[in-house]
Amino acid sequence: MAAGKPQLLFVHGIGGLRDTATDRRRWLEALAAGARDAGMADAISGLTQGWLADVTFANYSSLFNLRGAQGDAVRELDAAEVTFLAGLLEAMLEELAEQCSAERSPQDARVIADARFQLDAAVLGRQSQGVGEIGRGLVGVTTTMLRLPGVRQAAQWMNGWAILSQLSQVGRYLDRRVRKVELGAAVRSRVLEDLDPARPLVVISHSLGTVVAYEALHEYGGGVPVWITLGSPLALGAVVLDRLVPRPASCPPNVAQWLNFWDRDDVVVGRPHLANWIGPSKNGVKAVTERVDSRGLWTHTATKYLAHGAVARPVIEALKP
């Protein structure tokens, strides 16, 4: 059994350049709100002041933001990356369609149908069009998706190019081609650096960060009492699940408990399938999935998940002496 002061590791998802100190503070503040929601307010000062654990925010955002303006990355996509993005957008639109039925939200349903038509047209034209033309078609899809209130609120100042650029980070991380695989290795190295395998490690990962954490924890030599995944795309079928290493997908062997949280309105999540599609570890540990319901139009943010008592409670329990 690992001994010593616990470590708490935050692993972020897609996005632009991040400020490590600012994001660390925001995630801790959200987790403190979750502790209060769980009736564990006595743990807040220990959490925010660093008495309960040494807290690390693993910031790998600079590895994805080396090519200048956000749109540049999209304009440089190759055929394999465009294929991945088309599959990811299809999965996201399926989630949106499930949320916004014609009966519940006829206007939103029309927007989703329009985006799916554009996506089908871009995919069908793959043989006759160049990569750049298909990429512009996918930008048309994301631009149409911005007409949905929840997506528009999440995107804030971003346009279709910028959204596609950030979504492309998932495919870039999972790219296993010889000249591309170094990026994933660098991301995992950034996540695992400075951790002490002799001390217990509690991991909270979000979005793309859950994919990174899955592979990083398979490489990590220390014990992990609890791994929390939030808004995870791990179960998005062939788009993500079939690209994971190692395969077939299974819980990392050093994880004692895996808790996966999803929100009904989170378009990036593959619903509650993760617990069924990823196998147990050699110790019999597998994901236990729980639904949370957040307020507001856009639920795919780490801080909204962290503010739930159901998320904070197992973290605090694992960190308390």
Side-chain angles (χ1 to χ4, degrees), residues 230-248:
L230 311 172
S232 176
L234 277 167
L236 286 179
V239 180
V240 173
L241 185 64
D242 293 347
R243 297 170 185 251
L244 297 175
V245 175
R247 289 192 297 263

PDB file of all heavy atoms in Angstrom, residues 230-248:
ATOM      1  N   LEU A 230     -14.650  12.588 -16.238  1.00  0.00           N
ATOM      2  CA  LEU A 230     -15.752  13.534 -16.396  1.00  0.00           C
ATOM      3  C   LEU A 230     -15.948  13.844 -17.872  1.00  0.00           C
ATOM      4  O   LEU A 230     -14.990  14.178 -18.564  1.00  0.00           O
ATOM      5  CB  LEU A 230     -15.438  14.840 -15.648  1.00  0.00           C
ATOM      6  CG  LEU A 230     -14.966  14.721 -14.194  1.00  0.00           C
ATOM      7  CD1 LEU A 230     -14.503  16.087 -13.684  1.00  0.00           C
ATOM      8  CD2 LEU A 230     -16.074  14.160 -13.315  1.00  0.00           C
ATOM      9  N   GLY A 231     -17.188  13.742 -18.353  1.00  0.00           N
ATOM     10  CA  GLY A 231     -17.468  14.084 -19.751  1.00  0.00           C
ATOM     11  C   GLY A 231     -16.571  13.322 -20.705  1.00  0.00           C
ATOM     12  O   GLY A 231     -16.024  13.893 -21.643  1.00  0.00           O
ATOM     13  N   SER A 232     -16.447  12.023 -20.505  1.00  0.00           N
ATOM     14  CA  SER A 232     -15.461  11.245 -21.245  1.00  0.00           C
ATOM     15  C   SER A 232     -15.967  10.767 -22.602  1.00  0.00           C
ATOM     16  O   SER A 232     -17.064  10.229 -22.701  1.00  0.00           O
ATOM     17  CB  SER A 232     -15.052  10.014 -20.423  1.00  0.00           C
ATOM     18  OG  SER A 232     -14.161   9.198 -21.154  1.00  0.00           O
ATOM     19  N   PRO A 233     -15.136  10.924 -23.649  1.00  0.00           N
ATOM     20  CA  PRO A 233     -15.484  10.372 -24.971  1.00  0.00           C
ATOM     21  C   PRO A 233     -14.911   8.968 -25.188  1.00  0.00           C
ATOM     22  O   PRO A 233     -14.882   8.490 -26.310  1.00  0.00           O
ATOM     23  CB  PRO A 233     -14.820  11.378 -25.919  1.00  0.00           C
ATOM     24  CG  PRO A 233     -13.574  11.774 -25.196  1.00  0.00           C
ATOM     25  CD  PRO A 233     -13.924  11.766 -23.715  1.00  0.00           C
ATOM     26  N   LEU A 234     -14.445   8.309 -24.126  1.00  0.00           N
ATOM     27  CA  LEU A 234     -13.784   7.012 -24.270  1.00  0.00           C
ATOM     28  C   LEU A 234     -14.662   5.967 -24.956  1.00  0.00           C
ATOM     29  O   LEU A 234     -14.147   5.059 -25.607  1.00  0.00           O
ATOM     30  CB  LEU A 234     -13.352   6.484 -22.898  1.00  0.00           C
ATOM     31  CG  LEU A 234     -12.025   7.026 -22.353  1.00  0.00           C
ATOM     32  CD1 LEU A 234     -11.877   6.684 -20.875  1.00  0.00           C
ATOM     33  CD2 LEU A 234     -10.858   6.487 -23.146  1.00  0.00           C
ATOM     34  N   ALA A 235     -15.965   6.086 -24.814  1.00  0.00           N
ATOM     35  CA  ALA A 235     -16.852   5.069 -25.367  1.00  0.00           C
ATOM     36  C   ALA A 235     -17.463   5.464 -26.710  1.00  0.00           C
ATOM     37  O   ALA A 235     -18.478   4.901 -27.120  1.00  0.00           O
ATOM     38  CB  ALA A 235     -17.978   4.745 -24.378  1.00  0.00           C
ATOM     39  N   LEU A 236     -16.837   6.406 -27.416  1.00  0.00           N
ATOM     40  CA  LEU A 236     -17.362   6.814 -28.719  1.00  0.00           C
ATOM     41  C   LEU A 236     -16.916   5.845 -29.816  1.00  0.00           C
ATOM     42  O   LEU A 236     -16.338   6.226 -30.832  1.00  0.00           O
ATOM     43  CB  LEU A 236     -16.929   8.243 -29.052  1.00  0.00           C
ATOM     44  CG  LEU A 236     -17.640   9.353 -28.272  1.00  0.00           C
ATOM     45  CD1 LEU A 236     -17.106  10.716 -28.660  1.00  0.00           C
ATOM     46  CD2 LEU A 236     -19.151   9.311 -28.484  1.00  0.00           C
ATOM     47  N   GLY A 237     -17.179   4.578 -29.608  1.00  0.00           N
ATOM     48  CA  GLY A 237     -17.004   3.545 -30.621  1.00  0.00           C
ATOM     49  C   GLY A 237     -15.694   3.618 -31.380  1.00  0.00           C
ATOM     50  O   GLY A 237     -14.627   3.811 -30.823  1.00  0.00           O
ATOM     51  N   ALA A 238     -15.797   3.442 -32.701  1.00  0.00           N
ATOM     52  CA  ALA A 238     -14.601   3.405 -33.550  1.00  0.00           C
ATOM     53  C   ALA A 238     -13.847   4.727 -33.547  1.00  0.00           C
ATOM     54  O   ALA A 238     -12.652   4.760 -33.812  1.00  0.00           O
ATOM     55  CB  ALA A 238     -14.996   3.028 -34.980  1.00  0.00           C
ATOM     56  N   VAL A 239     -14.538   5.818 -33.229  1.00  0.00           N
ATOM     57  CA  VAL A 239     -13.897   7.129 -33.267  1.00  0.00           C
ATOM     58  C   VAL A 239     -12.786   7.219 -32.226  1.00  0.00           C
ATOM     59  O   VAL A 239     -11.695   7.716 -32.496  1.00  0.00           O
ATOM     60  CB  VAL A 239     -14.929   8.252 -33.036  1.00  0.00           C
ATOM     61  CG1 VAL A 239     -14.266   9.612 -33.086  1.00  0.00           C
ATOM     62  CG2 VAL A 239     -16.037   8.159 -34.063  1.00  0.00           C
ATOM     63  N   VAL A 240     -13.040   6.743 -31.017  1.00  0.00           N
ATOM     64  CA  VAL A 240     -12.057   6.831 -29.928  1.00  0.00           C
ATOM     65  C   VAL A 240     -11.711   5.455 -29.375  1.00  0.00           C
ATOM     66  O   VAL A 240     -10.540   5.076 -29.303  1.00  0.00           O
ATOM     67  CB  VAL A 240     -12.578   7.746 -28.791  1.00  0.00           C
ATOM     68  CG1 VAL A 240     -11.634   7.712 -27.591  1.00  0.00           C
ATOM     69  CG2 VAL A 240     -12.746   9.175 -29.288  1.00  0.00           C
ATOM     70  N   LEU A 241     -12.718   4.698 -28.991  1.00  0.00           N
ATOM     71  CA  LEU A 241     -12.496   3.435 -28.285  1.00  0.00           C
ATOM     72  C   LEU A 241     -11.566   2.490 -29.030  1.00  0.00           C
ATOM     73  O   LEU A 241     -10.656   1.893 -28.444  1.00  0.00           O
ATOM     74  CB  LEU A 241     -13.844   2.748 -28.030  1.00  0.00           C
ATOM     75  CG  LEU A 241     -13.811   1.459 -27.203  1.00  0.00           C
ATOM     76  CD1 LEU A 241     -13.338   1.735 -25.787  1.00  0.00           C
ATOM     77  CD2 LEU A 241     -15.191   0.819 -27.177  1.00  0.00           C
ATOM     78  N   ASP A 242     -11.766   2.366 -30.325  1.00  0.00           N
ATOM     79  CA  ASP A 242     -10.964   1.423 -31.111  1.00  0.00           C
ATOM     80  C   ASP A 242      -9.551   1.901 -31.378  1.00  0.00           C
ATOM     81  O   ASP A 242      -8.739   1.159 -31.938  1.00  0.00           O
ATOM     82  CB  ASP A 242     -11.666   1.122 -32.446  1.00  0.00           C
ATOM     83  CG  ASP A 242     -12.968   0.366 -32.254  1.00  0.00           C
ATOM     84  OD1 ASP A 242     -13.195  -0.131 -31.135  1.00  0.00           O
ATOM     85  OD2 ASP A 242     -13.761   0.285 -33.210  1.00  0.00           O
ATOM     86  N   ARG A 243      -9.226   3.130 -30.990  1.00  0.00           N
ATOM     87  CA  ARG A 243      -7.888   3.673 -31.221  1.00  0.00           C
ATOM     88  C   ARG A 243      -7.026   3.661 -29.959  1.00  0.00           C
ATOM     89  O   ARG A 243      -5.854   4.040 -30.002  1.00  0.00           O
ATOM     90  CB  ARG A 243      -7.983   5.109 -31.761  1.00  0.00           C
ATOM     91  CG  ARG A 243      -8.684   5.221 -33.106  1.00  0.00           C
ATOM     92  CD  ARG A 243      -8.947   6.677 -33.452  1.00  0.00           C
ATOM     93  NE  ARG A 243      -9.720   6.807 -34.688  1.00  0.00           N
ATOM     94  CZ  ARG A 243      -9.230   7.248 -35.837  1.00  0.00           C
ATOM     95  NH1 ARG A 243      -7.972   7.602 -35.911  1.00  0.00           N
ATOM     96  NH2 ARG A 243      -9.994   7.351 -36.905  1.00  0.00           N
ATOM     97  N   LEU A 244      -7.602   3.265 -28.839  1.00  0.00           N
ATOM     98  CA  LEU A 244      -6.875   3.308 -27.581  1.00  0.00           C
ATOM     99  C   LEU A 244      -5.751   2.278 -27.528  1.00  0.00           C
ATOM    100  O   LEU A 244      -5.820   1.227 -28.160  1.00  0.00           O
ATOM    101  CB  LEU A 244      -7.833   3.055 -26.409  1.00  0.00           C
ATOM    102  CG  LEU A 244      -8.948   4.072 -26.193  1.00  0.00           C
ATOM    103  CD1 LEU A 244      -9.860   3.607 -25.075  1.00  0.00           C
ATOM    104  CD2 LEU A 244      -8.370   5.454 -25.868  1.00  0.00           C
ATOM    105  N   VAL A 245      -4.720   2.601 -26.767  1.00  0.00           N
ATOM    106  CA  VAL A 245      -3.626   1.669 -26.495  1.00  0.00           C
ATOM    107  C   VAL A 245      -3.462   1.604 -24.980  1.00  0.00           C
ATOM    108  O   VAL A 245      -3.355   2.647 -24.329  1.00  0.00           O
ATOM    109  CB  VAL A 245      -2.313   2.150 -27.159  1.00  0.00           C
ATOM    110  CG1 VAL A 245      -1.163   1.231 -26.766  1.00  0.00           C
ATOM    111  CG2 VAL A 245      -2.460   2.198 -28.680  1.00  0.00           C
ATOM    112  N   PRO A 246      -3.454   0.415 -24.374  1.00  0.00           N
ATOM    113  CA  PRO A 246      -3.528  -0.898 -25.029  1.00  0.00           C
ATOM    114  C   PRO A 246      -4.955  -1.269 -25.427  1.00  0.00           C
ATOM    115  O   PRO A 246      -5.915  -0.702 -24.937  1.00  0.00           O
ATOM    116  CB  PRO A 246      -3.011  -1.841 -23.938  1.00  0.00           C
ATOM    117  CG  PRO A 246      -3.386  -1.161 -22.659  1.00  0.00           C
ATOM    118  CD  PRO A 246      -3.244   0.304 -22.919  1.00  0.00           C
ATOM    119  N   ARG A 247      -5.027  -2.233 -26.348  1.00  0.00           N
ATOM    120  CA  ARG A 247      -6.283  -2.804 -26.799  1.00  0.00           C
ATOM    121  C   ARG A 247      -6.258  -4.297 -26.538  1.00  0.00           C
ATOM    122  O   ARG A 247      -5.195  -4.907 -26.603  1.00  0.00           O
ATOM    123  CB  ARG A 247      -6.508  -2.542 -28.295  1.00  0.00           C
ATOM    124  CG  ARG A 247      -6.817  -1.104 -28.624  1.00  0.00           C
ATOM    125  CD  ARG A 247      -7.315  -0.949 -30.064  1.00  0.00           C
ATOM    126  NE  ARG A 247      -6.293  -1.354 -31.031  1.00  0.00           N
ATOM    127  CZ  ARG A 247      -5.476  -0.515 -31.649  1.00  0.00           C
ATOM    128  NH1 ARG A 247      -5.523   0.768 -31.387  1.00  0.00           N
ATOM    129  NH2 ARG A 247      -4.597  -0.944 -32.513  1.00  0.00           N
ATOM    130  N   PRO A 248      -7.423  -4.922 -26.283  1.00  0.00           N
ATOM    131  CA  PRO A 248      -8.732  -4.287 -26.099  1.00  0.00           C
ATOM    132  C   PRO A 248      -8.749  -3.420 -24.852  1.00  0.00           C
ATOM    133  O   PRO A 248      -8.010  -3.672 -23.902  1.00  0.00           O
ATOM    134  CB  PRO A 248      -9.684  -5.480 -25.982  1.00  0.00           C
ATOM    135  CG  PRO A 248      -8.834  -6.591 -25.460  1.00  0.00           C
ATOM    136  CD  PRO A 248      -7.483  -6.389 -26.082  1.00  0.00           C
TER     137      PRO A 248
END
